Amino acid sequence: MFARVIIDRSADREFDYRVPPALVGLVQVGSRVRVPFRERAAALGTVVDLPAESPVPAEKLRPLAGALHNGKPILSTVLITMARWMADYYCCAVETAMRAVLPQVIREAAVNYKKQLHARLLRLPSNDDLATLKKRAPRQAELLEALARNALGEPVAVAPLLTECGATHTTLNALAKAGWLVTAAAAVARDPYEGEQFLASPPQTLSADQAAALLAAREALDAAPGSAGKRPILLHGVTGSGKTEVYLQAIALALERGRTALVLVPEISLTPQTVERFKSRFEPTQHEVAVLHSHLSDGERHDEWHKIRDGRAAVVIGARSAVFAPLTNLGIIVVDEEHENSYKQEEAPRYHGRDIAVLRATLEENCVVLLGSATPSLESFHNAATGKYRLVELPQRIDDRRMPRMRIVDLRTESQRQGRHSAQPIVLSEKLRAAIGDRLEKKEQTILFLNRRGFATSLVCPVCGHVHKCVACSVALTVHRQMNRLVCHLCGHQAALPTRCPECRDPAIRQAGLGTERVEEVVGKVFPKAVVRRMDADAMTKKDAFRETLTAFRTGKIDILVGTQMIAKGLHFPNVTLVGIINADLALHLPDFRAGERTFQLLTQVAGRAGRGETEGEVFVQSFTPFSPSIQFARHHDFAGFWEQESGFRAQCDFPPFLHLALVTLRCPHQERGKFCCETLHRRLRENLPPGVTLGEPAPAPLERLKGHWRFQLLLRARNPLKLSRHLRVVLEKLTLPEDVQVAVDIDPFQLL
Ligand code: ADP
Ligand code: ZN
């Protein structure tokens, strides 16, 4: 018997070992093992195969040294196949892909269940018993009485019991000595939602459109694996159309069929509100919901992971990496807000969570995918247009609520009217200001959106024009008034706020551009009686700040919420009737072919926060380019029009979804060397360029300097993405670059910066 092992943090190869007699039958495909490797006595690895024979002569093979988790297979064959597929597709080492599939705590078996002391009652005290004890030892009597409220023999956690009775371990031990109870340590799961009550929320009666969508999901669930009926469903539903209710009921159908469910949401919308909707639907029906996200402690992650692996959770909700949740018997994967860029991982393996979800569904025995969005990505909509996905639409809001009324404010005429020039940016146009005042009077709430943190986006000297730039990146430093510092939003570099220009020593330094801090300040001054709160990465550093602010907003304690994309998605507050988009142009002018798409999505999503209750919502979009197509299509809630114009542009310029891209970025501390290496790589790629692949010229990246490195890029295109990654792999494996030059390959990149 042999075991083929991928070793952690090793090169892209698999190694064979002998399975010693003690481990035969224990070690399986997917087990984590300890092996001797090179000079190391014990490295960790994953068994990916148990071949009967090995190409290496048996006497040369070393034996496995041991098994983690008692040999229990930690990775299913589906997950191993996914890792191999990712390595091939995204052009990275299998080991790198394996690392994404399995959380670190599980890989290393470094954490275990928390042990907690429990007490079990051995016999029930009578009233006489308690009365007698009360006279002699009142504390003991009280503790015994509290414990007797539980069933005989049932383990009860000691710590909360002692707190409740104000008793100590001495009291407990006395009762144990008298034979009333025994104590023992038991493993318990850490529950991040401990102590929270999830009230049952039964299914709602569906609208006709929702019912049609659910029917599509039902048909897919019952279709034969591999048949056309099993293809992914794209649920295109406007904001507030009740997509979540469709997800919930589709999942219930899967559960009815004895299967499990996985829900992916963008990290940013994994709010308590979202989790609560799933927990309160399923937990009262005895289907546990596990939650996976990046803020779990190692211990919590360990417990949630095993809860899923052991089949104790039937529904998993989580961010991107939850696509690798170790569910068995998976029946449905829901990807909410499938267009969101946070599904794309920006470090190797640079996978896209939505695409991996679709892949996983095809690898599982019998699984369907439901992709949902109010603003589908062009990639997904293209797949629907070509019939690869099935398109289902929810064109109306629930209860025939109207889509919010979109008003565009032309900032050019507004700045003329207010007599300003660009150095002093307009926060509130007159119309938006009037609208906010109106809402304050009516006790309705307002959301103000600006996708930029800080106070001012740059510090400029009006005399010599000097701009304060980051020492390590090619961007201006942002002024943070609360911290009283200059901060680089790319690398985190900080500097003191200068009192005069470092170049010409002039003291008249000007803070240009807008951030959320300044919006908060201006709004506070204009409406001194209103309660204004800010919600962005700076304001939300404390653990519960996010939840607290949302609760305060929901209960009406905040009138105006100012925020970044943190407030753009998924929030549902019926009393919000006004949304102001302070500057719609921010995303529009990035040097990126997706700028138009992103602007359309952002405007639609933010606008979707308005008018979710009885009263119609109103949205003000402030812009210097009010006639740009993305803004105009968003204004008319016209996805079809947007799709038509944008897909025309993409087809014409050979961009996704019509072709796949590979972005190669080289970085180096030395500009000349980086440039030279990029040119060399370009030459090598050009030799033997496979047919159907086109290669762009080497060029400095739009973000030319980042964290002290100079960056250069190459862009490749092809209809077949595997051609890109395979060609790149072959060339890169043969190319030796200086040590300080690093190459990153990004297949299907989201950002070209
Ligand atoms: P979306 O995710 O499409 O933006 P939601 O799923 O958040 O929309 O639904 C918006 C609101 O409508 C929620 O408050 C939800 O409870 C409610 N809702 C959804 N479906 C129904 C229904 N069939 N009947 C009544 N209310 C519904
Ligand atoms: Zn920087």
Side-chain angles (χ1 to χ4, degrees):
M1 254 278 253
F2 303 99
R4 194 153 293 156
V5 177
I6 293 180
I7 291 160
D8 292 6
R9 291 192 200 84
S10 75
D12 204 6
R13 266 185 58 198
E14 296 167 8
F15 297 88
D16 285 0
Y17 289 87
R18 265 188 294 118
V19 181
L23 294 180
V24 171
L26 201 64
V27 166
Q28 298 168 53
V29 171
S31 296
R32 294 279 295 160
V33 288
R34 224 172 288 117
V35 294
F37 185 61
R38 307 232 161 98
E39 299 78 47
R40 280 187 281 164
L44 294 180
T46 310
V47 177
V48 290
D49 201 1
L50 292 172
E53 285 171 36
S54 170
V56 186
E59 64 277 9
K60 285 206 174 157
L61 290 179
R62 295 198 271 177
L64 298 176
L68 277 64
H69 309 276
N70 277 328
K72 182 163 110 174
I74 283 301
L75 280 174
S76 65
T77 47
V78 168
L79 288 174
I80 294 174
T81 310
M82 283 165 75
R84 289 201 154 126
W85 186 96
M86 286 201 294
D88 190 23
Y89 187 97
Y90 292 109
C91 191
C92 66
V94 182
E95 203 277 325
T96 309
M98 295 280 260
R99 226 179 302 153
V101 170
L102 205 55
Q104 186 72 8
V105 274
I106 307 298
R107 278 168 70 84
E108 313 214 317
V111 173
N112 219 321
Y113 281 108
K114 193 169 69 176
K115 287 274 167 57
Q116 211 177 45
L117 197 63
H118 284 79
R120 285 189 298 122
L121 194 63
L122 292 177
R123 54 195 170 90
L124 275 177
S126 66
N127 285 344
D128 286 350
D129 290 335
L130 288 172
T132 332
L133 193 58
K134 203 167 259 166
K135 283 187 209 124
R136 190 170 52 80
R139 275 276 147 70
Q140 285 185 39
E142 195 187 340
L143 188 59
L144 189 59
E145 203 175 353
L147 190 59
R149 276 183 230 125
N150 300 279
L152 205 61
E154 186 184 310
V156 179
V158 161
L161 188 70
L162 293 183
T163 317
E164 182 194 326
C165 305
T168 63
H169 282 275
T170 321
T171 328
L172 187 78
N173 292 341
L175 285 172
K177 222 173 195 171
W180 287 108
L181 54 86
V182 286
T183 58
V188 290
R190 284 151 278 225
D191 180 2
Y193 297 89
E194 190 171 336
E196 281 182 54
Q197 290 282 321
F198 294 100
L199 299 177
S201 86
Q204 285 171 298
T205 314
L206 298 182
S207 69
D209 288 332
Q210 284 177 315
L214 186 65
L215 181 64
R218 184 199 302 268
E219 285 169 0
L221 280 166
D222 293 333
S227 70
K230 218 65 205 184
R231 68 193 195 278
I233 297 172
L234 177 62
L235 181 61
H236 173 211
V238 300
T239 55
S241 60
K243 293 184 288 296
T244 312
E245 187 62 34
V246 174
Y247 305 153
L248 288 164
Q249 298 201 21
I251 291 168
L253 290 178
L255 297 177
E256 266 172 31
R257 285 158 177 71
R259 313 195 68 89
T260 59
L262 172 59
V263 184
L264 300 182
V265 299
E267 177 88 42
I268 213 156
S269 41
L270 198 50
T271 58
Q273 223 179 351
T274 312
V275 172
E276 189 181 322
R277 269 176 102 171
F278 284 84
K279 287 215 172 217
S280 58
R281 179 63 57 88
F282 297 115
E283 296 206 328
T285 62
Q286 312 307 318
H287 293 291
E288 259 202 75
V289 178
V291 183
L292 293 174
H293 59 76
S294 63
H295 298 302
L296 295 180
S297 68
D298 280 355
E300 288 168 343
R301 193 183 312 282
H302 164 274
D303 295 355
E304 293 293 286
W305 195 91
H306 280 284
K307 184 157 105 184
I308 301 165
R309 175 69 183 76
D310 299 344
R312 281 179 282 125
V315 180
V316 174
I317 173 165
R320 178 179 65 226
S321 64
V323 74
F324 306 114
L327 285 154
T328 45
N329 204 13
L330 189 57
I332 186 168
I333 308 178
V334 172
V335 183
D336 188 26
E337 312 281 9
E338 64 83 26
H339 65 278
E340 263 291 312
N341 58 3
S342 65
Y343 283 123
K344 172 79 177 176
Q345 174 147 302
E346 294 294 354
E347 62 200 62
R350 294 182 171 78
Y351 69 92
H352 196 295
R354 178 237 303 145
D355 296 343
I356 298 300
V358 172
L359 168 77
R360 180 165 185 180
T362 63
L363 296 174
E364 295 282 349
E365 226 167 88
N366 187 0
C367 181
V368 299
V369 188
L370 187 56
L371 311 173
S373 176
T375 50
S377 62
L378 266 83
E379 283 81 356
S380 293
F381 207 78
H382 177 70
N383 281 331
T386 58
K388 206 172 146 194
Y389 295 172
R390 175 174 179 183
L391 181 65
V392 181
E393 308 207 270
L394 303 177
Q396 304 285 335
R397 282 190 156 182
I398 284 295
D399 291 341
D400 291 324
R401 280 189 190 134
R402 291 221 239 142
M403 294 303 286
R405 195 180 288 269
M406 306 279 281
R407 301 184 191 282
I408 313 288
V409 179
D410 188 338
L411 286 177
R412 294 169 305 183
T413 47
E414 187 68 26
S415 48
Q416 275 168 8
R417 187 196 336 235
Q418 296 194 16
R420 304 202 202 189
H421 34 89
S422 61
Q424 282 180 315
I426 292 172
V427 176
L428 302 176
S429 58
E430 270 166 37
K431 285 178 196 152
L432 179 54
R433 181 190 298 217
I436 298 174
D438 175 59
R439 294 319 189 285
L440 287 172
E441 248 164 53
K442 290 193 200 146
K443 299 256 171 278
E444 293 170 3
Q445 291 169 300
T446 298
I447 286 180
L448 295 178
F449 174 84
L450 180 69
N451 213 1
R452 196 166 275 170
R453 299 183 283 127
F455 187 81
T457 48
S458 60
L459 206 54
V460 186
C461 172
V463 177
C464 75
H466 175 84
V467 177
H468 283 254
K469 289 225 170 117
C470 177
V471 289
C473 312
S474 43
V475 294
L477 294 170
T478 303
V479 182
H480 282 252
R481 171 140 330 158
Q482 211 165 28
M483 287 190 261
N484 204 23
R485 310 277 288 171
L486 287 167
V487 181
C488 172
H489 282 186
L490 293 176
C491 73
H493 167 77
Q494 294 195 7
L497 269 176
T499 48
R500 46 178 70 233
C501 175
E503 285 293 314
C504 71
R505 316 298 305 159
D506 195 279
I509 291 186
R510 197 168 60 194
Q511 304 194 344
L514 268 186
T516 41
E517 269 186 31
R518 193 193 295 231
V519 175
E520 182 189 23
E521 188 185 284
V522 168
V523 173
K525 274 189 192 142
V526 176
F527 301 105
K529 290 208 192 99
V531 182
V532 184
R533 282 277 276 284
R534 177 164 52 91
M535 195 147 159
D536 58 22
D538 301 317
M540 297 294 123
T541 47
K542 270 201 248 118
K543 191 166 179 270
D544 288 321
F546 189 62
R547 184 185 297 219
E548 277 164 19
T549 308
L550 285 185
T551 309
F553 195 53
R554 181 176 352 196
T555 51
K557 294 197 183 89
I558 297 173
D559 300 310
I560 303 171
L561 189 62
V562 176
T564 53
Q565 70 232 39
M566 216 176 241
I567 61 172
K569 317 270 155 65
L571 300 182
H572 181 80
F573 297 110
N575 199 33
V576 174
T577 58
L578 176 65
V579 166
I581 294 164
I582 303 295
N583 185 343
D585 307 333
L586 284 185
L588 205 51
H589 304 306
L590 290 175
D592 189 325
F593 71 96
R594 282 200 181 85
E597 182 180 5
R598 258 184 234 153
T599 302
F600 177 80
Q601 289 168 345
L602 202 58
L603 294 188
T604 307
Q605 295 288 346
V606 181
R609 301 310 112 218
R612 295 174 74 94
E614 300 293 326
T615 323
E616 190 180 348
E618 195 175 23
V619 179
F620 284 83
V621 180
Q622 306 190 135
S623 167
F624 280 103
T625 51
F627 297 104
S628 81
S630 312
I631 294 180
Q632 286 299 324
F633 286 123
R635 170 190 192 176
H636 295 109
H637 309 289
D638 183 5
F639 179 81
F642 171 74
W643 154 255
E644 198 162 301
Q645 108 115 33
E646 184 70 14
S647 63
F649 153 70
R650 301 280 185 91
Q652 206 174 20
C653 304
D654 279 344
F655 275 124
F658 301 98
L659 283 173
H660 287 271
L661 302 181
L663 180 68
V664 185
T665 307
L666 270 89
R667 38 185 218 123
C668 176
H670 304 283
Q671 189 173 15
E672 281 311 310
R673 195 181 305 156
K675 182 161 178 273
F676 177 78
C677 289
C678 191
E679 283 161 1
T680 309
L681 177 58
H682 180 259
R683 261 198 317 281
R684 296 287 168 81
L685 284 168
R686 207 174 42 196
E687 298 159 10
N688 308 318
L689 195 68
V693 177
T694 55
L695 171 66
E697 291 300 310
L703 197 62
E704 196 175 3
R705 257 188 111 218
L706 179 66
K707 299 181 188 176
H709 286 83
W710 294 90
R711 303 164 77 248
F712 296 88
Q713 289 183 344
L714 290 168
L715 195 63
L716 294 92
R717 300 166 204 242
R719 240 168 248 293
N720 177 355
L722 284 174
K723 275 192 183 172
L724 295 172
S725 53
R726 288 180 185 158
H727 182 52
L728 279 163
R729 186 187 297 267
V730 170
V731 171
L732 286 170
E733 265 169 13
K734 282 200 222 124
L735 186 70
T736 331
L737 291 168
E739 263 195 6
D740 60 357
V741 175
Q742 279 159 334
V743 183
V745 174
D746 193 351
I747 308 288
D748 302 335
F750 221 87
Q751 303 212 49
L752 303 184
L753 295 177

